[in-house]
Amino acid sequence: MPRLPPEPDLDWSDPSAPRAAAFDDVYFSRRGGLAETEAVFLAGTGMPVGWQNRDRFALCELGFGTGLNVLAVWRAWKLARNAHAQLHISSIEAYPLAKADAARALAQFPEIAELAEQLLARWPVRVYGPQRLWFPDDGLSLTLHIGEAETVLGGMSGRFDAWFLDGFAPARNPQMWSPQTLRQIARLSAPGARVASFTVAGDVRRGLSAAGFAVEKKPGFGAKRERLEAVYAGQPAAEESASLYPYAPAHPKRVVIVGAGIAGASVAQALTRRGVETIVLEAARELGAGASGNPAALVMPRLDRGGVLREFYLAAYLHAVTTYEALGAFDACGVEQRAGADAEAFDDLLADPPLPTDWLSALPHGAALHARAGVVRPGAAIEVMLRGAQLMLESPVVSLERSGDGWLLRAQDQRALLKADAVVIAGGAALTQFEPAAFLPIALSRGQVEWGEGPSLTRALVQSNYLTPFEGGVLFGATFDKAETAEAVVADDASRLRNLEALAALAPEIAASVNAESLRSRASLRATTPDRAPIAGLLPDAEKWLAQYEPLAHGRKIETDLPPPAHAGVYVIGGLGARGFTLAPLLGEIIAAEMFAEPSLLPQFARDAIHPARFLHRALKRR
């Protein structure tokens, strides 16, 4: 399968209603697409009454198309939303439209022009990877999943309160309406969830009924005589394969984050946009004391040909770029990436790229150009991310203690600093100093960067090391040296010499033009994991978890129905290695969403692959 999603072949012979040639069907009614959406989908799911007096409401749509349904819901939400309430829309699309085509289609609806402009400004990229767009002023998040509905739904978790089934007609697009797809809809439905669709095809009605929905025909819109409404009559369906990893939500009102680097700041931003009281404790006397304190950081994608985290890395890159652009802390100078040791894999990715050409293209000399990648200013980004939170500097935390339904955080002299409903440990290199997290196999490496006067660069350059434009000069590095402890490190001349030698190998003409006397250096510690994947999620209770799942060590099946043991309300984020500024914004969003049991952003197999419990699971398997 190609690494890029297919583009639809559009027929614009009728400018009032674009038609998908492959399905011989229109995206919306010629008689009034917006009126059709309001009559079939909003009225069919009881909106806006359905979300009144609700703090959170979750909607899933099959068939994103032009985004018209989302815009109609958004308009209704703005008019009827309760203060501080949040609407989470997930939408699935197999054939994503180009922004220009969506703009042409939406131009017919001046009633929603202002909202359409906002959506088009953030129009999702055509990639296989989830993309979450926040519109915080309206308490609205939109998550687009690109792929076939059955596949995407099969990896999702969470509960939806309403469903829009708006794919092309069942006779022309049977895969979207398959019994398996309808069963997945039931699995992901909250009790009483409502479904609306334009079709009353017999197979669809029978499939929904078999999945546990009470189905009714209702008067249709325009030329269509009937439409469909359904209500989920069952209880939440049991997961087909329960995870061994804990995902229980905390629903906190007050969260304390330990660590004010990019990991902690990303979680803080995700929580404050949800209206959560957030306090960030930082041991140092100022921001930027750790690995997040370099004067610049490179944001670029990790491109994998396969693997369970391929889509995660793509999604994290896209999320990071949009996050830092919105913060005003990003220079999209572009990054030229040269082939490393595995040139064959690199060439394969360029021949079948996972990103469209305006994001990734091949250069004549066998390199890749990441046109939207670039340099983030860490201090500026973190400062803006923390604005909605309360920051407490010189506040080291040495232990956590369960206290009723919450947690006490204690200082070095055992004073109780604060009490919170939930805690996020984002301590970077110091993550495992907390006893409940001591099982995490964090390895430390020392990295040093240099910056100073040099030639003006048009873009960054990367191979095994990197070179970026910085303040009219250059920044380059970085060293990778094993570190034994989490003690602070200092820059040294030997590391600078190695960085200069690496720069000469990467770009000899630039290295020759660097003013060595102007160079400044900084060293810090990175935290990495044995599998080089980050850690994010609810912290398991290691001792109890290993005891509960001991049969795995003997090749036996797990028969217990008990939930995976965890330190309820304690989350960890770390092990970001050298990609902290690329990975952290999405990881922060993932943790915040799980705290409130919001519909999943990642497919379950990818979510498990970054969960802290994976190391306990592997330890038992190795036995």
Side-chain angles (χ1 to χ4, degrees):
M1 183 178 72
R3 294 192 179 99
L4 271 180
E7 293 181 283
D9 180 12
L10 298 183
D11 175 4
W12 287 97
S13 56
D14 182 350
S16 67
R19 176 179 293 273
F23 298 99
D24 190 26
D25 202 358
V26 292
Y27 279 88
F28 46 74
S29 172
R30 297 183 183 86
R31 296 172 179 260
L34 186 57
E36 178 188 41
T37 290
E38 292 172 338
V40 174
F41 294 107
L42 273 71
T45 52
M47 297 182 189
V49 175
W51 59 50
Q52 288 180 357
N53 302 317
R54 296 280 300 271
D55 291 333
R56 287 177 173 80
F57 192 89
L59 161 69
C60 189
E61 172 192 41
L62 275 58
F64 178 68
T66 64
L68 181 60
N69 290 345
V70 168
L71 293 169
V73 173
W74 188 355
R75 181 171 70 159
W77 174 254
K78 282 177 67 74
L79 294 173
R81 174 198 178 201
N82 294 330
H84 310 300
Q86 292 166 6
L87 173 63
H88 300 282
I89 303 176
S90 297
S91 190
I92 302 172
E93 177 59 58
Y95 297 84
L97 268 70
K99 176 181 175 179
D101 290 320
R104 181 177 177 183
L106 294 173
Q108 302 175 58
F109 307 106
E111 314 96 303
I112 52 172
E114 182 179 344
L115 297 180
E117 183 179 1
Q118 293 184 56
L119 177 59
L120 289 166
R122 305 277 305 281
W123 193 252
V125 183
R126 182 170 61 97
V127 298
Y128 284 120
Q131 297 169 71
R132 177 161 291 174
L133 313 179
W134 266 97
F135 302 92
D137 290 345
D138 295 327
L140 172 70
S141 75
L142 167 63
T143 306
L144 182 65
H145 301 270
I146 297 179
E148 296 292 345
E150 183 181 332
T151 301
V152 173
L153 291 172
M156 291 177 70
S157 60
R159 303 291 180 210
F160 290 99
D161 303 295
W163 294 84
F164 292 177
L165 306 189
D166 194 25
F168 296 116
R172 299 183 177 97
N173 185 24
Q175 186 174 1
M176 203 212 82
W177 307 88
S178 69
Q180 294 85 352
T181 298
L182 301 180
R183 284 197 294 270
Q184 293 291 355
I185 289 172
R187 179 181 67 84
L188 295 165
S189 289
R194 298 184 63 170
V195 173
S197 182
F198 61 86
T199 183
V200 290
D203 287 347
V204 175
R205 288 185 286 111
R206 288 186 290 272
L208 285 170
S209 295
F213 289 87
V215 182
E216 288 187 83
K217 293 181 181 180
K218 295 289 186 177
F221 173 84
K224 293 184 178 178
R225 196 171 47 149
E226 295 173 312
R227 59 181 175 86
L228 179 146
E229 290 186 16
V231 178
Y232 187 57
Q235 293 300 310
E239 296 289 341
E240 293 180 3
S241 57
S243 174
L244 302 181
Y245 302 166
Y247 288 101
H251 298 289
K253 294 183 178 179
R254 188 188 212 204
V255 177
V256 169
I257 299 171
V258 181
I262 188 57
S266 294
V267 179
Q269 183 186 45
L271 289 171
T272 54
R273 68 161 55 109
R274 288 167 168 83
V276 179
E277 181 187 359
T278 305
I279 303 169
V280 181
L281 303 181
E282 169 57 46
R285 63 179 56 186
E286 60 185 13
L287 291 174
S292 298
N294 284 347
L298 202 60
V299 172
M300 62 174 290
R302 168 177 162 172
L303 300 180
D304 289 359
R305 290 194 291 173
V308 296
L309 290 177
R310 182 179 65 87
E311 293 185 8
F312 161 72
Y313 285 121
L314 272 177
Y317 167 55
L318 298 177
H319 195 81
V321 170
T322 57
T323 295
Y324 299 132
E325 285 179 340
L327 296 176
F330 190 63
D331 174 17
C333 59
V335 175
E336 177 184 331
Q337 181 181 9
R338 296 177 181 172
D342 194 348
E344 182 180 348
F346 189 77
D347 291 342
D348 176 62
L349 281 164
L350 289 180
D352 181 16
L355 285 158
T357 54
D358 57 334
W359 285 79
L360 171 63
S361 59
L363 293 172
H365 48 280
L369 175 61
H370 302 284
R372 296 287 300 276
V375 179
V376 63
R377 299 186 297 281
I382 290 173
E383 183 179 344
V384 179
M385 286 174 144
L386 292 175
R387 280 182 184 168
Q390 179 183 348
L391 174 64
M392 297 175 61
L393 298 171
E394 296 186 272
S395 300
V397 177
V398 297
S399 65
L400 309 176
E401 179 183 313
R402 191 70 180 172
S403 176
D405 293 333
W407 291 89
L408 280 177
L409 294 91
R410 294 194 178 276
Q412 291 174 322
D413 59 3
Q414 291 304 303
R415 287 182 299 111
L417 286 172
L418 287 167
K419 183 178 180 182
D421 305 313
V423 177
V424 180
I425 306 174
L431 178 63
T432 55
Q433 76 176 25
F434 296 96
E435 191 278 330
F439 73 91
L440 294 171
I442 293 292
L444 302 178
S445 70
R446 177 189 178 279
Q448 181 168 315
V449 298
E450 326 292 336
W451 68 95
E453 297 174 8
S456 177
L457 303 180
T458 57
R459 58 183 177 233
L461 181 60
V462 172
Q463 196 167 36
S464 56
N465 54 317
Y466 64 90
L467 165 70
T468 75
F470 179 67
E471 293 185 346
V474 295
L475 182 146
F476 58 96
T479 58
F480 279 83
D481 300 310
K482 184 176 181 181
E484 299 296 337
T485 69
E487 298 296 324
V489 295
V490 295
D492 59 47
D493 292 340
S495 296
R496 173 179 289 186
L497 178 61
R498 282 188 289 142
N499 276 332
L500 284 168
E501 291 172 346
L503 177 62
L506 177 67
E509 70 289 350
I510 294 175
S513 302
V514 169
N515 181 355
E517 293 183 357
S518 72
L519 290 180
R520 300 172 61 189
S521 304
R522 186 177 189 275
S524 58
L525 291 176
R526 311 179 190 89
T528 62
T529 62
D531 58 12
R532 296 296 186 264
I535 301 169
L538 184 62
L539 185 65
D541 185 320
E543 183 178 355
K544 293 180 180 178
W545 195 99
L546 290 170
Q548 181 164 307
Y549 297 121
E550 172 68 17
L552 289 172
H554 310 286
R556 298 199 300 266
K557 291 183 178 180
I558 299 298
E559 297 181 353
T560 180
D561 293 328
L562 294 173
H567 296 286
V570 178
Y571 297 79
V572 291
I573 175 173
L576 307 188
R579 297 182 178 272
F581 277 87
T582 301
L583 302 181
L586 185 65
L587 293 173
E589 180 65 23
I590 288 169
I591 288 177
E594 287 186 3
M595 283 188 183
F596 293 96
E598 295 167 7
S600 60
L601 180 60
L602 295 180
Q604 192 62 49
F605 61 82
R607 187 62 195 88
D608 287 350
I610 61 174
H611 198 284
R614 71 186 190 268
F615 301 109
L616 301 175
H617 194 175
R618 292 170 190 170
L620 285 181
K621 288 285 190 178
R622 282 195 298 269
R623 285 198 212 166

